[in-house]
Structure formats: structure tokens, C-alpha cells
Amino acid sequence: MTYTNTNTNMTTSAGIAPSLQTYYNRTLLQSFEPELVHLQFGEVYPMPQNNGMVMSMRKIVPLEAKTTELAEGNPGDGTLLSETQVTVPLKQYGDYSNFSDLFDLANIDCNLTRKVELFANAGARSIDAVARDELATCTNVIYAGGKTSRSALTSADKLSSVELRKAARMLKKANAQRFNGYYVAIVGPETIYDLQDDESFIKVSQYSDSENIYTGEVGRLFGVRLVETSEAKIFEGAGASGADVASIIVLGKYAYGVTSWKGAKPRVIIKPSGSAGTADPLDQISSVGWKMDGFGVKLLQPEYAVRIECGFTA
């Protein structure tokens, strides 16, 4: 069944002053930005508005090594650059809730600012999950504990420096470039807990002052900087005897692209009671929601991404 929204006030909120609308949008953005760990290592490709719904990105094919000596005075024919087109559809994401006037009058804690914060947090996790799930489709996979499949993993097959070193080796062999000298691994709290037992683990507090710290970064190990997020992917019940399996994504530079309409940002939409006209004849219903227009994520160089799968300490 197709749902028809009879409340057509879809852009700005009647009854909300522009200064308040700006304030609530700022509240949403402040909550959004720290959560988007999976987006911070992608190449950004802004999409001009009024140019359709599909963004065309370019995957650059690395140049071959040249071992034939030059003839004196002859530079040769040169080499043509090669690139492959990769497309990603731009999609809308969002959510909202309706609130009765009695709810707003009776509820003690859930004022408008709190509602915006709740939707901002949910929206941030939603957009982050879109990127996370795309990265998890990479085909370079390492299973912890020497296992050869996800279904064979147990909680005892924990993440260790061995798997990180294997992932770094795989990226090096693919000639994946580094982020300021390091590869990056996106890890969950469960797996970073196990990894911190390694004596070679360097905590972020031990870095020199000259190093830039990524959002969520907690340390580094064997040339891999570790970024923690509670939104790291878990394959629930996918291991041996129904064990949960954690996913760690290890990235080189240029592995994936992020696109949205140029200038588009997530925004809050607030509709006060009475703004719907005859659809709300007694001014009983208000709503709060978030929306992101025209957004997409795509692996561009899958060989520059490695997924480690492992068990973890409960």
C-alpha cells in the first residue's frame, strides 16, 4: 500500500522562526558530524544539482612499470591513462515521528531540542551504516585464527596483530597508498578491547603532538591506525555454533567515494501543530524528523580495502 502524506509543508516549517530553524539545524549537524566515522576516509565527489540521480565516478587504473630504456633523443610514444567508470545512484534518507499536543503537554523530558538530538543521532547512524555496509562488500577477506570461512569462526578467534599485518601486506602488494604514512582500520569496541592486549599497541595518548588525530582514533599498530566506532558491522549469529562475528575494515587511500548533491547537508524538519491546515483541523499533531537528500557511497578501488572477520570477547 502506498502511503500518502497529506501534510505538504516539506521545506521550511511554518510557525518556526528562521533563527530557531537555524538553531535546530545546527543542533542536528553538531550531533551528526562526530558519528560519521565510516565516511571520513572516502574521496568526496560533489554532484551538481539538476544533473540527474546517478553520479559517475572514475576508477583510475594504475600505470604499468616501464623497464625499456629510452633511445637517445627519442622519448617514445608515451602512455595513455586509463580509467573505468563507476556509477552510484543518489538516494534520499530520513525518518520522522508525529507527536500529539497532549504528549507535548504531559511529557517531562522530551522537549523540542531533545527530539532534534534524538533524530540527529539516529540520522547519523543511518548515514554511517550506508557507508559501512558498502565497505563491507569488499572481496579481500581475512579470517582470524587461521579459519577459512565466517561460519567456522568462534569467540576464541580474536583479532590480533597477525590479521592486521596480513591486511597491511595485502594492501602493500596492491600498491594502495597510505593516509599520511599509515593504513586505517575501522574497528568496534569489542575487537579493540582484544587488540589492546598486544604489547606493541600504541595508545593515541602516546602520539607526538605533531600528528593529526582522526575522529574516533584510539591507537595504532604495525603501520595501521585504529579508529573505533560502536557502529562497526557485526554479523550476528554467523559464526560457529551461532557465535557473533565482527567485521574490521582496513583501508588504503582512494578505496571508496562519497557523493551527495553539492551543498546538500542533513537537515531537521519541524512541523508545529496547525501547520498542516485541514489535515490537522484541531492543531493536535506536530512532527520532527531528519532528511538527507541525494547521498551515495561506492567502492572505487576494491583492492584497496580488506575486511577482517573475527570473534571477540563477550
Side-chain angles (χ1 to χ4, degrees):
M1 182 178 72
T2 301
Y3 174 73
T4 301
N5 188 341
T6 57
N7 187 347
T8 58
N9 180 18
M10 299 299 291
T11 54
T12 58
S13 301
I16 296 291
S19 59
L20 278 177
Q21 188 70 31
T22 299
Y23 166 76
Y24 288 123
N25 271 315
R26 189 182 301 119
T27 299
L28 179 139
L29 290 172
Q30 287 172 345
S31 298
F32 246 73
E33 291 170 358
E35 301 288 339
L36 302 181
V37 169
H38 287 91
L39 292 183
Q40 66 179 319
F41 305 106
E43 295 298 300
V44 178
Y45 295 83
M47 173 76 161
Q49 293 187 16
N50 306 115
N51 278 268
M53 294 291 293
V54 178
M55 178 65 177
S56 178
M57 304 179 186
R58 295 291 185 268
K59 171 183 175 179
I60 303 298
V61 179
L63 295 174
E64 297 290 334
K66 194 76 171 181
T67 58
T68 303
E69 65 176 305
L70 293 174
E72 183 177 354
N74 182 1
D77 296 330
T79 300
L80 294 175
L81 297 182
S82 179
E83 59 184 18
T84 303
Q85 179 175 278
V86 179
T87 60
V88 56
L90 277 74
K91 300 178 181 180
Q92 278 188 334
Y93 298 91
D95 195 14
Y96 75 98
S97 284
N98 289 330
F99 302 92
S100 72
D101 54 348
L102 288 179
F103 176 92
D104 289 335
L105 288 169
N107 192 280
I108 297 173
D109 299 316
C110 200
N111 58 30
L112 187 52
T113 299
R114 180 60 177 148
K115 292 173 186 174
V116 171
E117 290 173 345
L118 284 170
F119 276 95
N121 183 270
R125 289 185 285 109
S126 301
I127 295 299
D128 194 62
V130 172
R132 177 199 66 197
D133 291 347
E134 172 63 19
L135 294 179
T137 64
C138 67
T139 54
N140 295 324
V141 185
I142 296 171
Y143 300 101
K147 300 296 174 61
T148 58
S149 69
R150 182 183 301 165
S151 61
L153 290 168
T154 71
S155 59
D157 296 313
K158 302 173 185 176
L159 177 67
S160 72
S161 60
V162 173
E163 286 76 38
L164 285 180
R165 287 160 53 205
K166 286 181 179 179
R169 179 181 64 183
M170 193 175 291
L171 293 176
K172 290 174 185 176
K173 291 179 70 174
N175 295 317
Q177 296 185 39
R178 298 169 175 83
F179 300 91
N180 298 317
Y182 295 88
Y183 295 122
V184 172
I186 300 176
V187 298
E190 305 88 354
T191 47
I192 200 66
Y193 174 85
D194 292 327
L195 198 60
Q196 285 170 329
D197 287 336
D198 195 298
E199 293 181 355
S200 300
F201 184 89
I202 301 173
K203 295 183 290 187
V204 72
S205 60
Q206 298 172 303
Y207 290 7
S208 68
D209 292 339
S210 62
E211 292 179 272
N212 295 320
I213 308 301
Y214 294 120
T215 298
E217 187 171 357
V218 293
R220 68 175 184 236
L221 192 62
F222 293 109
V224 180
R225 297 175 73 164
L226 302 155
V227 174
E228 181 183 18
T229 173
S230 61
E231 299 304 308
K233 193 171 186 65
I234 299 289
F235 299 101
E236 295 184 358
S241 302
D244 290 341
V245 175
S247 169
I248 297 93
I249 302 296
V250 187
L251 296 166
K253 205 171 183 180
Y254 308 121
Y256 66 106
V258 179
T259 185
S260 62
W261 276 315
K262 189 174 182 180
K265 293 182 178 180
R267 59 193 175 95
V268 64
I269 299 176
I270 303 168
K271 300 180 185 179
S273 59
S275 63
T278 56
D280 183 20
L282 298 181
D283 293 356
Q284 292 176 294
I285 305 297
S286 64
S287 67
V288 177
W290 69 272
K291 187 168 75 166
M292 179 68 181
D293 290 320
F295 175 78
V297 180
K298 189 72 174 179
L299 278 168
L300 300 179
Q301 305 278 168
E303 63 272 27
Y304 295 171
V306 179
R307 186 176 75 251
I308 300 172
E309 296 190 9
C310 65
F312 51 86
T313 301

